[in-house]
Every structure is written in C-alpha cells, then in structure tokens.
Amino acid sequence: MINSSSSSSMTPNYTYLRTGDTIAKCLTLDKIIKTTGFTSKTLKGDMNMNRRDFIKTTLAAAAAAGGTLLGAPLLSAAPSANTERKVINKKMKILVLTGSPRKEGNSNTLASQFIRGAREAGHEISRFDAAFKEVHPCSACNHCGMDGPCVFQDDFSFVREHIIPADVVAFATPMYYFGISAQLKTVIDRFYAINGKIHVRKRAVLMMTYANTAASEAAPIISHYDVLLKYLGWEDAGQIIVPGVWPEGAVNNTKYTEAAYRLGKAI
C-alpha cells in the first residue's frame, strides 16, 4: 500500500508503506522508521542512522516483506507477489465496487484508472457504481439464511451474479465521517445473502480517498477492510490510500492515478 499525507510546511511529510503485516512510517528521509504499532511485526532502527543507511534499510526490509511501490517491486531482486502466485498470465474476473455519489469523484477516478490497467492486462472487468443503483439496505429478516435468495429484488442481483465467480474484488470509496460511504456499505451488508458462496479464496483491493491528511483518520476504514477480508478468507492484493483530496478532480494529475493504473495492470 502506498499512503502519503502532507500538511503545512511546518510539519514533515509522511509516507506509509504497507507490506503484509509490516507498516513502516517514514518521518522524512533524514530519520529512520517510526513504527505505527498496528502489528507486532514492525521495523525498528536507530534514529541517528544516516540518510543512505535509512533508504537502504527501509527498502530492503519492505522488499523482504513483499512490498511494492507504485505497483513495482521496491527492489528488483525481490520477487513480486504476482510472480509468487503465478497468476500473471491468467485472465481473471474482477469486480469493481464503487461508493462515490460523484461520477467524476476522486475515488471513482482511481477505480477507472485501476480498470484501465486491468483491461490492458487482459482481465475481464465488471463495475458496479453503488451510488447510481437501487440497492435496499439489509433488513435483517434472515429470509436468505445467509446463503439464499434475498427478499429484495433490486440491482444487487448484478453484484450477486459477478462477485461469486470473481477472482478479485476491488473496493473504491471516499471517506465519509471516517467510514466508507453509505452507498458502498449498503452493498457490503447485502453480502449476507451470499455469505456461503463468497467464503472462497479471492483477492481484494482497497482504493480510498479523503480530505484530511492524518493517517490515523484513515485507520478505521483500513481496519474494516482488513477484518472483512479476514472473515471472508480473502487476500489483500493492494491498497491505495489518498489523503488531502476534497474537490472533485483533486486526485487528477497526481501520482495516485498512476498508482491505481499500475496496480490494475499488475494485479
């Protein structure tokens, strides 16, 4: 995952590299990694380490954990995750679920770039823009029994049709009040009716945008995503977390659109 946040000139920039269970927080290139405490597997280093050693140690450690930067291996000697899974030449079915009510919103732009890359790689893409569909919230009637027909006959039928055979499910959402958008959450809640059918090996992607820049504010959505994947038995294939984008189009011409494209192409 690539996650950067920036603030005023009085505050140093932060970059987050998420590689499996390891999260490294780089407090400018002149200081060594400060761990975030998300897991017990963390990188530690001497705060007096010089610039060259910092870069060398950070990249080596992240690459050892299988990390990527903007969709490319951090170190060329380290095998990519796709190479390890031997799926580079496999045509996959990918379902992209978006939650932004703005057609040209920032998270929708990331989704479009991800799709562009995935299509160029030869994968079959299905896209569901939840904000522009009719999806009734789950009413907890339990008519489906967690693995049957839902009482609501609406656009979720498209999700049901495409998520079951999907190899990859990509989530794209803006942050609304420190959570995923209600439109996308409604779709995820309806997974209940197909619970038994989607507890199979799949990979997932998270693309999230938010107006603020504090990494701590992104943590609830990332945690929700992580727990969801753990419950379903899915594997994280990449995350693009974009801070500091509020107006529609703010993400355009940033490194994040390229990152989304490259993630799609390398999935």
PDB file of all heavy atoms in Angstrom, residues 5-15 26-28 31:
ATOM      1  N   SER A   5       0.699  11.389   3.324  1.00  0.00           N
ATOM      2  CA  SER A   5      -0.054  12.529   3.797  1.00  0.00           C
ATOM      3  C   SER A   5       0.868  13.703   3.900  1.00  0.00           C
ATOM      4  O   SER A   5       2.039  13.570   4.211  1.00  0.00           O
ATOM      5  CB  SER A   5      -0.686  12.228   5.173  1.00  0.00           C
ATOM      6  OG  SER A   5       0.331  12.034   6.128  1.00  0.00           O
ATOM      7  N   SER A   6       0.344  14.874   3.598  1.00  0.00           N
ATOM      8  CA  SER A   6       1.144  16.076   3.674  1.00  0.00           C
ATOM      9  C   SER A   6       0.349  17.142   4.379  1.00  0.00           C
ATOM     10  O   SER A   6      -0.854  17.161   4.366  1.00  0.00           O
ATOM     11  CB  SER A   6       1.530  16.549   2.266  1.00  0.00           C
ATOM     12  OG  SER A   6       0.369  16.809   1.524  1.00  0.00           O
ATOM     13  N   SER A   7       1.053  18.059   5.002  1.00  0.00           N
ATOM     14  CA  SER A   7       0.391  19.146   5.687  1.00  0.00           C
ATOM     15  C   SER A   7       1.160  20.415   5.429  1.00  0.00           C
ATOM     16  O   SER A   7       1.775  20.584   4.393  1.00  0.00           O
ATOM     17  CB  SER A   7       0.289  18.819   7.174  1.00  0.00           C
ATOM     18  OG  SER A   7       1.559  18.489   7.698  1.00  0.00           O
ATOM     19  N   SER A   8       1.158  21.331   6.366  1.00  0.00           N
ATOM     20  CA  SER A   8       1.797  22.610   6.151  1.00  0.00           C
ATOM     21  C   SER A   8       3.308  22.454   6.131  1.00  0.00           C
ATOM     22  O   SER A   8       3.873  21.423   6.498  1.00  0.00           O
ATOM     23  CB  SER A   8       1.395  23.566   7.280  1.00  0.00           C
ATOM     24  OG  SER A   8       1.958  23.137   8.491  1.00  0.00           O
ATOM     25  N   SER A   9       4.018  23.513   5.752  1.00  0.00           N
ATOM     26  CA  SER A   9       5.464  23.475   5.660  1.00  0.00           C
ATOM     27  C   SER A   9       6.107  23.316   7.025  1.00  0.00           C
ATOM     28  O   SER A   9       7.281  22.986   7.137  1.00  0.00           O
ATOM     29  CB  SER A   9       5.969  24.759   4.987  1.00  0.00           C
ATOM     30  OG  SER A   9       5.564  25.888   5.742  1.00  0.00           O
ATOM     31  N   MET A  10       5.338  23.545   8.091  1.00  0.00           N
ATOM     32  CA  MET A  10       5.863  23.429   9.439  1.00  0.00           C
ATOM     33  C   MET A  10       5.892  21.975   9.904  1.00  0.00           C
ATOM     34  O   MET A  10       6.495  21.644  10.905  1.00  0.00           O
ATOM     35  CB  MET A  10       5.001  24.247  10.402  1.00  0.00           C
ATOM     36  CG  MET A  10       4.991  25.740  10.097  1.00  0.00           C
ATOM     37  SD  MET A  10       6.636  26.474  10.226  1.00  0.00           S
ATOM     38  CE  MET A  10       6.917  26.312  11.983  1.00  0.00           C
ATOM     39  N   THR A  11       5.218  21.074   9.163  1.00  0.00           N
ATOM     40  CA  THR A  11       5.115  19.675   9.565  1.00  0.00           C
ATOM     41  C   THR A  11       5.740  18.791   8.506  1.00  0.00           C
ATOM     42  O   THR A  11       5.490  18.959   7.330  1.00  0.00           O
ATOM     43  CB  THR A  11       3.634  19.282   9.740  1.00  0.00           C
ATOM     44  OG1 THR A  11       3.031  20.194  10.661  1.00  0.00           O
ATOM     45  CG2 THR A  11       3.519  17.859  10.265  1.00  0.00           C
ATOM     46  N   PRO A  12       6.606  17.836   8.896  1.00  0.00           N
ATOM     47  CA  PRO A  12       7.240  16.960   7.901  1.00  0.00           C
ATOM     48  C   PRO A  12       6.228  16.084   7.207  1.00  0.00           C
ATOM     49  O   PRO A  12       5.200  15.738   7.772  1.00  0.00           O
ATOM     50  CB  PRO A  12       8.209  16.126   8.756  1.00  0.00           C
ATOM     51  CG  PRO A  12       7.625  16.156  10.129  1.00  0.00           C
ATOM     52  CD  PRO A  12       6.984  17.518  10.261  1.00  0.00           C
ATOM     53  N   ASN A  13       6.519  15.722   5.947  1.00  0.00           N
ATOM     54  CA  ASN A  13       5.654  14.826   5.198  1.00  0.00           C
ATOM     55  C   ASN A  13       5.828  13.402   5.696  1.00  0.00           C
ATOM     56  O   ASN A  13       6.879  13.016   6.183  1.00  0.00           O
ATOM     57  CB  ASN A  13       5.994  14.880   3.700  1.00  0.00           C
ATOM     58  CG  ASN A  13       5.617  16.203   3.096  1.00  0.00           C
ATOM     59  OD1 ASN A  13       4.703  16.849   3.563  1.00  0.00           O
ATOM     60  ND2 ASN A  13       6.338  16.605   2.058  1.00  0.00           N
ATOM     61  N   TYR A  14       4.788  12.608   5.542  1.00  0.00           N
ATOM     62  CA  TYR A  14       4.828  11.219   5.955  1.00  0.00           C
ATOM     63  C   TYR A  14       4.560  10.331   4.751  1.00  0.00           C
ATOM     64  O   TYR A  14       3.783  10.676   3.879  1.00  0.00           O
ATOM     65  CB  TYR A  14       3.759  10.926   7.019  1.00  0.00           C
ATOM     66  CG  TYR A  14       3.955  11.664   8.312  1.00  0.00           C
ATOM     67  CD1 TYR A  14       3.328  12.882   8.541  1.00  0.00           C
ATOM     68  CD2 TYR A  14       4.774  11.132   9.302  1.00  0.00           C
ATOM     69  CE1 TYR A  14       3.511  13.558   9.742  1.00  0.00           C
ATOM     70  CE2 TYR A  14       4.955  11.798  10.501  1.00  0.00           C
ATOM     71  CZ  TYR A  14       4.319  13.011  10.721  1.00  0.00           C
ATOM     72  OH  TYR A  14       4.496  13.670  11.896  1.00  0.00           O
ATOM     73  N   THR A  15       5.180   9.183   4.722  1.00  0.00           N
ATOM     74  CA  THR A  15       4.889   8.177   3.713  1.00  0.00           C
ATOM     75  C   THR A  15       4.703   6.844   4.407  1.00  0.00           C
ATOM     76  O   THR A  15       5.506   6.481   5.258  1.00  0.00           O
ATOM     77  CB  THR A  15       6.026   8.059   2.680  1.00  0.00           C
ATOM     78  OG1 THR A  15       6.170   9.299   2.014  1.00  0.00           O
ATOM     79  CG2 THR A  15       5.711   6.965   1.662  1.00  0.00           C
ATOM     80  N   CYS A  26       7.701   6.605   7.605  1.00  0.00           N
ATOM     81  CA  CYS A  26       8.957   7.293   7.352  1.00  0.00           C
ATOM     82  C   CYS A  26       8.775   8.778   7.636  1.00  0.00           C
ATOM     83  O   CYS A  26       8.000   9.440   6.966  1.00  0.00           O
ATOM     84  CB  CYS A  26       9.376   7.082   5.900  1.00  0.00           C
ATOM     85  SG  CYS A  26       9.353   5.348   5.405  1.00  0.00           S
ATOM     86  N   LEU A  27       9.498   9.287   8.603  1.00  0.00           N
ATOM     87  CA  LEU A  27       9.355  10.669   9.046  1.00  0.00           C
ATOM     88  C   LEU A  27      10.433  11.500   8.384  1.00  0.00           C
ATOM     89  O   LEU A  27      11.410  11.882   9.011  1.00  0.00           O
ATOM     90  CB  LEU A  27       9.478  10.722  10.562  1.00  0.00           C
ATOM     91  CG  LEU A  27       8.890  11.934  11.259  1.00  0.00           C
ATOM     92  CD1 LEU A  27       7.368  11.881  11.161  1.00  0.00           C
ATOM     93  CD2 LEU A  27       9.303  11.959  12.726  1.00  0.00           C
ATOM     94  N   THR A  28      10.296  11.760   7.103  1.00  0.00           N
ATOM     95  CA  THR A  28      11.284  12.388   6.230  1.00  0.00           C
ATOM     96  C   THR A  28      12.450  11.437   6.036  1.00  0.00           C
ATOM     97  O   THR A  28      12.671  10.523   6.826  1.00  0.00           O
ATOM     98  CB  THR A  28      11.800  13.756   6.734  1.00  0.00           C
ATOM     99  OG1 THR A  28      12.733  13.548   7.788  1.00  0.00           O
ATOM    100  CG2 THR A  28      10.667  14.632   7.189  1.00  0.00           C
ATOM    101  N   LYS A  31      15.278  10.721   8.927  1.00  0.00           N
ATOM    102  CA  LYS A  31      15.018   9.974  10.160  1.00  0.00           C
ATOM    103  C   LYS A  31      14.590   8.558   9.815  1.00  0.00           C
ATOM    104  O   LYS A  31      13.970   8.314   8.798  1.00  0.00           O
ATOM    105  CB  LYS A  31      13.936  10.666  10.991  1.00  0.00           C
ATOM    106  CG  LYS A  31      14.358  12.034  11.491  1.00  0.00           C
ATOM    107  CD  LYS A  31      13.291  12.654  12.386  1.00  0.00           C
ATOM    108  CE  LYS A  31      13.739  14.022  12.890  1.00  0.00           C
ATOM    109  NZ  LYS A  31      12.721  14.633  13.765  1.00  0.00           N
TER     110      LYS A  31
END
